[in-house]
Amino acid sequence: MKVETECSCALDRVRKGDYERGDGWKLTSAGQAQFKKDAKLLKEHMGYDVTEMDFAKQFSEFKCDHPTIHFSTDNILREIIKDKGKKYPDGDVELFVFATDEEFRLMKELIPQRTWNGTASGFLNQILKSPFPKIYVCEWYFERQEYNTVDPQLIIFIKDGDGLKWECHNLKSTEETEMES
């Protein structure tokens, strides 16, 4: 439990940049030493590389004793754009992807914000730019490691001319009326 507490404190310091500083906001030698110690601890224990600027590469479940999983709608986009989009660049297939229940929840909460939230509209624009005419995003229960094949929560994104529509099936906790395209 001690190492988890140390990691939590180190993560707070890294996120806040809470290190001893001298003139001009430069880290003092003590601040640099603490940052290096925090970076090493986070890398070894959580697989979190604080020096990596590419968000997709910051977390690694390998070579650490307590892997960290980061749930984000960016993971859904990465699957659509980078992974499957590169494999099928001609857009001659429909795409079916699974998203963890947490990522699916985040996506459900993000979409209704499309008119006032730049992140939401950016998310939908990236889907529109993908090569796929239709994308099915289905919820996957991460903790139970199971797929709901009877009545899954599902959002289907459909390209419609220059726009994007979506259909919602079996959504829970977010009103389907809020999700209408």
Side-chain angles (χ1 to χ4, degrees), residues 34-71:
Q34 183 64 53
F35 177 78
K36 288 177 183 177
K37 180 180 175 187
D38 289 348
K40 182 179 183 215
L41 176 68
L42 292 171
K43 177 89 172 180
E44 289 175 356
H45 186 67
M46 298 174 65
Y48 175 43
D49 184 354
V50 301
T51 62
E52 178 60 59
M53 298 311 288
D54 183 353
F55 181 77
K57 297 177 184 175
Q58 283 181 341
F59 294 92
S60 172
E61 67 271 23
F62 304 107
K63 297 182 183 175
C64 67
D65 59 356
H66 190 266
T68 301
I69 298 171
H70 184 78
F71 297 110

Side-chain angles (χ1 to χ4, degrees), residues 14 21 80 94 99 108 117 152 154 175:
V14 166
R21 297 180 185 277
I80 293 169
E94 295 178 356
K108 285 192 316 184
N117 182 332
L154 186 68
E175 296 296 323

Side-chain angles (χ1 to χ4, degrees), residues 127-170:
I127 289 177
L128 182 60
K129 290 178 185 176
S130 78
F132 305 103
K134 192 181 263 190
I135 300 170
Y136 301 82
V137 181
C138 185
E139 179 183 42
W140 170 57
Y141 297 108
F142 178 74
E143 286 185 17
R144 294 188 305 236
Q145 297 286 304
E146 69 182 23
Y147 303 99
N148 178 350
T149 57
V150 177
D151 61 345
Q153 288 196 83
L154 186 68
I155 297 177
I156 305 168
F157 295 98
I158 307 158
K159 287 186 181 179
D160 183 33
D162 291 336
L164 185 67
K165 290 184 177 181
W166 49 89
E167 297 173 1
C168 306
H169 299 278
N170 298 323

Side-chain angles (χ1 to χ4, degrees), residues 62-133:
F62 304 107
K63 297 182 183 175
C64 67
D65 59 356
H66 190 266
T68 301
I69 298 171
H70 184 78
F71 297 110
S72 169
T73 54
D74 290 340
N75 294 340
I76 297 170
L77 283 180
R78 193 170 15 264
E79 181 76 14
I80 293 169
I81 305 298
K82 292 185 178 177
D83 185 29
K84 304 300 185 206
K86 288 181 181 177
K87 290 180 183 175
Y88 305 101
D90 298 332
D92 54 353
V93 297
E94 295 178 356
L95 178 64
F96 191 97
V97 297
F98 285 99
T100 66
D101 44 351
E102 181 66 15
E103 291 165 344
F104 195 87
R105 181 190 64 78
L106 291 168
M107 182 180 65
K108 285 192 316 184
E109 291 174 1
L110 188 65
I111 292 171
Q113 301 174 19
R114 68 193 174 279
T115 59
W116 56 270
N117 182 332
T119 301
S121 60
F123 177 84
L124 294 171
N125 284 334
Q126 288 296 311
I127 289 177
L128 182 60
K129 290 178 185 176
S130 78
F132 305 103

